[in-house]
């Protein structure tokens, strides 16, 4: 349910007595001194809490929403995860505002707090370029001040988001398939090499078994030699068995 857009969240007031105490520093707020009032839960109920101007502003910050919980106190608009938002604090209590709402609420306070530098706001240096530009626009920061700040505090680069689980699974499957294809290619190369070695061994065996008459070899039936009597063939067979075991191990 949306809040009243015209509702005041941050109250700028002049102390009517010297009885109030700054929630940020614990110091007394003198009569006639400007003070900032924010409603917060304290003492078991909601009541107005007061702070001095500069300590109040020093306690404010900008940040990114870490989840989809929380909403702009002024408009009721929900924050999505990763949204830039403004945080008003009052001794343990946090009030969330959009950058636009915060600029509207804090403008009177900033005009009165001459000693506070807006560009010293906590968390501003952590805003990405687009969100920082949004802050500058809503808080009416001059172009010269923007350029100076950006040079001194370069905006962080966008971090690549993690791919969805389905995409990660597809990527893993592709990597697995590529590895299997690589192993198949290695197996094919080893099989081809083995075949060549077996053919060479067979050729050597045939040449060894042919009897010779003079300087000519006589082709005729002959018994197959054992591996012990034919060292080249035995070596080829041993190497072939070793590669077969290697492929089986994969």
């Amino acid at each position: 349910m949306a809040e009243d857009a015209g509702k005041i969240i941050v109250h700028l007031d002049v102390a009517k007595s010297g009885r109030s105490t700054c929630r940020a520093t614990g110091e007394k707020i003198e009569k006639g001194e400007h003070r900032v009032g924010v409603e917060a839960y304290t003492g078991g109920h909601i009541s107005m809490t007061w702070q001095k101007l500069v300590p109040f502003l020093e306690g404010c910050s900008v940040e990114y929403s870490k989840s989809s919980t929380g909403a702009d106190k002024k408009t009721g608009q929900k924050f999505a995860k990763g949204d830039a938002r403004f945080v008003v604090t009052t001794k343990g209590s946090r009030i969330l505002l959009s950058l636009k709402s915060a600029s509207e609420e804090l403008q009177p306070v900033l005009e009165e707090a001459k000693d506070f530098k807006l560009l010293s706001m906590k968390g501003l240096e952590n805003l990405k370029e687009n969100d920082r530009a949004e802050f500058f626009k809503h808080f009416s920061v001059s172009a010269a001040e923007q350029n100076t700040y950006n040079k001194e505090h370069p905006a962080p680069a966008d971090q690549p988001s993690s791919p969805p689980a389905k995409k990660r699974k597809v990527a893993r499957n592709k990597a697995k398939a590529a590895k299997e294809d690589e192993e198949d290619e290695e197996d094919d190369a080893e099989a081809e090499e083995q075949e060549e070695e077996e053919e060479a061994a067979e050729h050597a065996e045939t040449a060894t078994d042919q009897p010779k008459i003079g300087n000519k070899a006589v082709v005729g039936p002959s018994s197959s030699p054992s591996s012990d009597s034919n060292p080249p063939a035995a070596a080829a067979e041993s190497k072939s068995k070793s590669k077969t075991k290697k492929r089986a191990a994969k």
Side-chain angles (χ1 to χ4, degrees), residues 61 63 67 87 102 120 137 152 159 176 180 192 198 203 205 220 224 226 230:
S61 62
E63 65 177 22
S67 67
V87 183
S120 67
K137 180 183 76 172
E152 295 176 353
Q159 296 296 323
K176 183 179 179 181
E180 290 175 350
E192 185 177 349
E198 289 176 350
H203 179 72
E205 178 183 336
S224 298
S226 65
N230 192 350

Side-chain angles (χ1 to χ4, degrees), residues 97-137:
L97 296 167
S98 67
L99 298 181
K100 181 176 183 298
S101 294
S103 66
E104 295 170 355
E105 290 292 316
L106 269 66
Q107 192 60 42
V109 180
L110 290 168
E111 290 176 357
E112 192 64 40
K114 305 297 184 183
D115 295 335
F116 180 77
K117 296 185 181 300
L118 175 64
L119 296 184
S120 67
M121 186 71 66
K122 288 188 297 185
L124 179 58
E125 71 280 4
N126 298 324
L127 291 187
K128 292 178 286 189
E129 186 175 354
N130 291 342
D131 297 319
R132 187 181 288 186
E134 194 75 8
F135 179 93
F136 290 154
K137 180 183 76 172

Side-chain angles (χ1 to χ4, degrees), residues 10 18 31 34 36 39 56 62 81 89 99 127 141 161-162 167 169 175 204-205 220-221 226 237 244:
V10 177
K31 181 180 178 180
H34 279 90
V36 179
E39 287 188 345
F56 165 77
V62 287
K81 182 178 180 180
T89 60
L99 298 181
L127 291 187
V141 179
S161 59
S162 300
K167 290 185 178 181
K169 184 176 180 180
E205 178 183 336
S226 65
E237 182 179 357
T244 300

Side-chain angles (χ1 to χ4, degrees), residues 169-189:
K169 184 176 180 180
V170 171
R172 286 196 301 268
N173 290 340
K174 285 184 178 180
K176 183 179 179 181
K179 184 178 180 181
E180 290 175 350
D181 290 342
E182 184 179 351
E183 291 177 350
D184 289 342
E185 289 177 2
E186 292 178 357
D187 290 343
D188 292 342

Side-chain angles (χ1 to χ4, degrees), residues 44-58:
H45 59 279
I46 300 294
S47 63
M48 186 68 71
T49 60
W50 299 103
Q51 299 181 61
K52 292 189 174 185
L53 272 59
V54 172
F56 165 77
L57 291 169
E58 290 175 342

Side-chain angles (χ1 to χ4, degrees), residues 2-250:
E3 299 278 352
D4 180 2
K7 181 180 179 181
I8 298 175
I9 307 299
V10 177
H11 301 261
L12 179 63
D13 185 43
V14 175
K16 299 174 178 60
S17 68
R19 295 193 302 270
S20 61
T21 302
C22 175
R23 286 289 295 269
T25 65
E27 298 174 335
K28 288 288 184 181
I29 300 176
E30 300 296 333
K31 181 180 178 180
E33 184 179 357
H34 279 90
R35 60 184 181 177
V36 179
V38 179
E39 287 188 345
Y41 188 81
T42 177
H45 59 279
I46 300 294
S47 63
M48 186 68 71
T49 60
W50 299 103
Q51 299 181 61
K52 292 189 174 185
L53 272 59
V54 172
F56 165 77
L57 291 169
E58 290 175 342
C60 295
S61 62
V62 287
E63 65 177 22
Y64 283 111
S65 177
K66 296 179 181 178
S67 67
S68 57
T69 59
D72 183 345
K73 182 69 174 176
K74 187 176 181 67
T75 66
Q77 183 68 38
K78 290 282 188 181
F79 289 111
K81 182 178 180 180
D83 282 351
R85 63 189 186 185
F86 196 94
V87 183
V88 172
T89 60
T90 173
K91 197 147 185 174
S93 297
R94 284 165 50 94
I95 297 172
L96 305 178
L97 296 167
S98 67
L99 298 181
K100 181 176 183 298
S101 294
S103 66
E104 295 170 355
E105 290 292 316
L106 269 66
Q107 192 60 42
V109 180
L110 290 168
E111 290 176 357
E112 192 64 40
K114 305 297 184 183
D115 295 335
F116 180 77
K117 296 185 181 300
L118 175 64
L119 296 184
S120 67
M121 186 71 66
K122 288 188 297 185
L124 179 58
E125 71 280 4
N126 298 324
L127 291 187
K128 292 178 286 189
E129 186 175 354
N130 291 342
D131 297 319
R132 187 181 288 186
E134 194 75 8
F135 179 93
F136 290 154
K137 180 183 76 172
H138 289 306
F139 283 90
S140 303
V141 179
S142 70
E145 289 177 311
Q146 292 181 38
N147 292 334
T148 300
Y149 186 86
N150 287 331
K151 286 180 181 179
E152 295 176 353
H153 308 277
D158 290 338
Q159 296 296 323
S161 59
S162 300
K166 186 175 181 180
K167 290 185 178 181
R168 291 198 298 269
K169 184 176 180 180
V170 171
R172 286 196 301 268
N173 290 340
K174 285 184 178 180
K176 183 179 179 181
K179 184 178 180 181
E180 290 175 350
D181 290 342
E182 184 179 351
E183 291 177 350
D184 289 342
E185 289 177 2
E186 292 178 357
D187 290 343
D188 292 342
E190 289 180 1
E192 185 177 349
E193 184 181 351
Q194 177 186 352
E195 186 177 348
E196 292 175 354
E197 290 176 351
E198 289 176 350
E199 289 177 358
E202 184 178 351
H203 179 72
E205 178 183 336
T206 302
T208 303
D209 289 346
Q210 290 179 349
K212 292 183 180 180
I213 299 177
N215 293 330
K216 296 182 178 181
V218 179
V219 178
S222 61
S223 59
S224 298
S226 65
S227 59
D228 293 339
S229 61
N230 192 350
E237 182 179 357
S238 175
K239 188 172 184 179
S240 174
K241 289 180 179 180
S242 174
K243 290 187 175 181
T244 300
K245 291 180 178 180
K246 181 179 178 181
R247 288 197 302 276
K250 289 183 178 181

